[in-house]
Amino acid sequence: ALAKIFNKNLPLTVIFNITDTCNSKCTYCYAGYYQRKKEELKLGEVLKIIDELAKMQCKRVSFGGGEPLLREDIAAIVDFVKRKGMDCVINSNGFLVPRKLDVVKKLDALVVSLDGNEVSHDRCRGKGSFQKVMAAIECAYKNRVPLYTNTVLHKNNLDDIDFVLGIARHYDFFAEFNLSIDSFSASQSQESHKADDAEIKKALEKLIRYKKQGYNILFSQKAFEYALIWPTYTKEAFFDNPPDFKHAACTAGKYFCVIDTNGDVYPCPHLIDKIKTKNAKDGFHNAFSGLDKHDCKACYQVYHNEFNLLFNFDWAVIYNYIKSSLKMALPIHVNGSIKKN
């Protein structure tokens, strides 16, 4: 609140990509992380950056990649974040969760990717991957690890929204839904997984309807409504000039950012390798300074709408965030059985 009142830029929440290495090759991966050859930061460099984040009042560090659990030093990294008093989140494909349970149990939230039913999930991630992510969900549930899933909606899984929400209800967690993107992809020639505009709008309308009905959907109704009024999803962002329709003012680089595998700091994941930037190895404070002076004005992505509305003090979105956070922090078990909604 003070950052907003005094117009001060603070990295309140940070995505930290700590590896490009991945044990999956998702067909819709917008950045093709598993294809990249960026040099990973060493443990000492990672811890130094985390220390700077804490000093700059960061509240939440969300580790991504690649697959963060593949780093041999992930336990030391998570422990350091927690010692510095920040929330720690890992975004994972779930494959290693049962084997890395000692690390996972220390998290404030585990986010696993769930593309839909077994056919849909395995189509995107490889045969057997659905069973692995379900094992991760079961493991997190039994060990009371706060969990939510991330589902990227594309032309092959729009009919799986009900399936994902059924799993979310069964295990009593929140499901996150986002839209696929093409033009930010590392490989511009890869096949587009984006559905057509009418199909996307139909899916968003369903999510808005379900949100109103109280389904376990993580993001706010308003975030989906802002995505719904986007004129065409073939245009993924507005650069230089803001759009002439209602949109969530971008706060990327002002209140949140992403640190890439080699230490480069970007306003958001979609701008990685698309703009000139500075490296956190030369000091995160210096790299973050002026990061909000980028040309991207708006995009249709649901999670960006959520962050932008949250940091612009939309009270409906703040209420949704508080309610969701409280539920994730207090997993409910009834006599060791699954709580039914």
Side-chain angles (χ1 to χ4, degrees):
L2 292 176
K4 182 74 174 178
I5 293 170
F6 292 104
N7 195 31
K8 183 178 181 181
N9 291 10
L10 292 175
L12 298 176
T13 182
V14 173
I15 299 171
F16 199 156
N17 293 332
I18 51 174
T19 184
D20 286 338
T21 305
C22 194
N23 48 2
S24 180
K25 293 184 178 181
C26 305
T27 56
Y28 58 75
C29 184
Y30 72 89
Y33 288 105
Y34 55 85
Q35 304 176 58
R36 305 195 310 172
K37 304 295 182 183
K38 292 190 176 183
E39 184 177 355
E40 290 183 3
L41 295 170
K42 298 179 176 63
L43 177 60
E45 294 170 328
V46 171
L47 300 187
K48 180 183 176 182
I49 293 170
I50 292 170
D51 186 52
E52 285 191 78
L53 291 174
K55 290 176 180 177
M56 291 182 67
Q57 303 178 56
C58 179
K59 305 300 181 186
R60 179 179 185 266
V61 181
S62 180
F63 290 112
E67 173 52 55
L69 291 176
L70 282 171
R71 275 196 68 134
E72 294 182 358
D73 52 12
I74 187 62
I77 294 171
V78 170
D79 284 343
F80 194 73
V81 172
K82 297 304 298 177
R83 285 205 304 272
K84 290 297 177 177
M86 296 178 286
D87 285 351
C88 187
V89 179
I90 281 182
N91 298 279
S92 173
N93 57 31
F95 293 6
L96 296 176
V97 166
R99 287 166 49 190
K100 296 281 188 175
L101 187 57
D102 57 329
V103 176
V104 171
K105 289 171 72 172
K106 299 175 183 178
L107 300 174
D108 294 281
L110 170 69
V111 187
V112 294
S113 300
L114 179 61
D115 294 317
N117 63 31
E118 186 165 10
V119 173
S120 297
H121 192 87
D122 285 3
R123 177 189 293 159
C124 293
R125 296 170 178 270
K127 186 174 178 59
S129 59
F130 176 80
Q131 293 300 327
K132 291 177 182 178
V133 75
M134 289 306 300
I137 290 171
E138 183 73 25
C139 182
Y141 178 79
K142 287 181 176 178
N143 289 277
R144 301 194 176 199
V145 177
L147 167 83
Y148 59 95
T149 55
N150 176 36
T151 301
V152 177
L153 296 173
H154 49 79
K155 64 184 181 182
N156 294 319
N157 70 347
L158 290 180
D159 292 333
D160 289 301
I161 290 174
D162 290 279
F163 177 87
V164 172
L165 288 173
I167 298 294
R169 178 176 180 176
H170 187 73
Y171 288 99
D172 200 28
F173 62 74
F174 280 95
E176 172 184 336
F177 293 91
N178 289 294
L179 303 177
S180 65
I181 58 175
D182 289 335
S183 67
F184 292 108
S185 173
S187 174
Q188 299 297 323
S189 61
Q190 76 174 37
E191 177 192 357
S192 172
H193 284 75
K194 194 182 299 182
D196 63 37
D197 285 355
E199 292 173 318
I200 293 172
K201 288 187 180 294
K202 183 178 179 181
L204 290 169
E205 287 168 351
K206 172 184 274 192
L207 289 167
I208 291 168
R209 185 169 66 253
Y210 282 175
K211 182 72 178 181
K212 290 178 180 178
Q213 295 172 7
Y215 281 68
N216 287 7
I217 297 172
L218 182 64
F219 292 143
S220 65
Q221 176 183 327
K222 188 168 286 188
F224 290 107
E225 289 172 343
Y226 272 76
L228 180 61
I229 63 175
W230 198 264
T232 175
Y233 303 97
T234 57
K235 184 177 180 64
E236 298 179 346
F238 280 79
F239 290 89
D240 299 322
N241 297 311
D244 58 3
F245 54 87
K246 190 175 182 180
H247 63 281
C250 184
T251 57
K254 188 175 182 67
Y255 301 125
F256 66 93
C257 68
V258 57
I259 304 170
D260 204 14
T261 312
N262 63 350
D264 287 343
V265 182
Y266 293 92
C268 85
H270 300 165
L271 294 179
I272 289 177
D273 294 335
K274 302 297 183 294
I275 63 173
K276 292 183 179 180
T277 191
K278 301 174 185 176
N279 195 287
K281 288 190 289 186
D282 299 320
F284 176 80
H285 186 279
N286 177 60
F288 185 74
S289 178
L291 197 63
D292 60 326
K293 303 298 189 291
H294 54 85
D295 294 331
C296 190
K297 305 303 180 184
C299 70
Y300 64 62
Q301 194 53 268
V302 183
Y303 68 84
H304 282 310
N305 285 327
E306 184 79 353
F307 277 126
N308 291 335
L309 291 166
L310 181 67
F311 291 131
N312 280 307
F313 275 75
D314 186 292
W315 292 108
V317 178
I318 291 173
Y319 173 73
N320 179 77
Y321 176 81
I322 292 173
K323 185 171 66 173
S324 302
S325 298
L326 286 174
K327 184 169 183 177
M328 282 194 294
L330 298 170
I332 299 173
H333 296 247
V334 182
N335 298 324
S337 62
I338 297 170
K339 173 182 175 290
K340 302 289 186 180
N341 288 342

